[in-house]
Amino acid sequence: MKGPPDFEKAMHDIYVTAKRDAGYNAKVFLQMLHERGGLATAKYLINATQPSEGYTRLYERGRLDLTVEARVIDNPKWHPLFTDDEIAKARERLKAYGYRPDR
């Protein structure tokens, strides 16, 4: 399931920025984007019962801002693409790991 082109780009930008700025090569995430599309990947990761390995690696690097959860929560433009339950799950996961949005 693909989302709007700008959402797809935002999801791909997570991979690029994580590799460049956090030294994390999220190969599995990139593969998921190619196979599923950005929206389906984001929904899959948000709805997972446990944080992904990538989420954990970004947490260890102090870069939760590069997680799918943060990118969705931090940009209200994306909220209509997700259910209220998915938004709540993303918020709770970020809160559990001490993430504080810039705003």
Side-chain angles (χ1 to χ4, degrees), residues 63-78:
R63 293 304 307 265
L64 284 178
D65 61 302
L66 296 176
T67 63
V68 166
E69 291 85 350
R71 292 295 169 106
V72 168
I73 293 305
D74 289 347
N75 191 340
K77 174 181 178 178
W78 309 134

Side-chain angles (χ1 to χ4, degrees), residues 1 3 10 14 52 60 88 102:
M1 168 188 336
I14 290 173
S52 68
E60 292 168 349
D102 287 335

Side-chain angles (χ1 to χ4, degrees), residues 7-102:
F7 183 78
E8 296 296 315
K9 182 181 181 322
M11 292 298 99
H12 188 265
D13 286 349
I14 290 173
Y15 169 79
V16 172
T17 306
K19 188 172 183 179
R20 182 189 65 222
D21 296 351
Y24 178 59
N25 186 7
K27 293 183 282 189
V28 172
F29 179 67
L30 184 62
Q31 182 178 356
M32 289 174 71
L33 291 176
H34 288 300
E35 291 174 0
R36 301 170 186 239
L39 185 57
T41 296
K43 286 178 171 284
Y44 173 80
L45 293 171
I46 288 170
N47 285 300
T49 56
Q50 297 293 319
S52 68
E53 181 180 330
Y55 186 99
T56 302
R57 298 290 172 258
L58 290 168
Y59 170 75
E60 292 168 349
R61 288 167 168 79
R63 293 304 307 265
L64 284 178
D65 61 302
L66 296 176
T67 63
V68 166
E69 291 85 350
R71 292 295 169 106
V72 168
I73 293 305
D74 289 347
N75 191 340
K77 174 181 178 178
W78 309 134
H79 292 192
L81 300 174
F82 297 88
T83 66
D84 290 344
D85 186 53
E86 288 167 334
I87 296 293
K89 285 178 183 179
R91 280 189 203 285
E92 284 304 310
R93 181 168 292 152
L94 290 165
K95 183 179 175 186
Y97 283 79
Y99 179 72
R100 304 281 186 281
D102 287 335

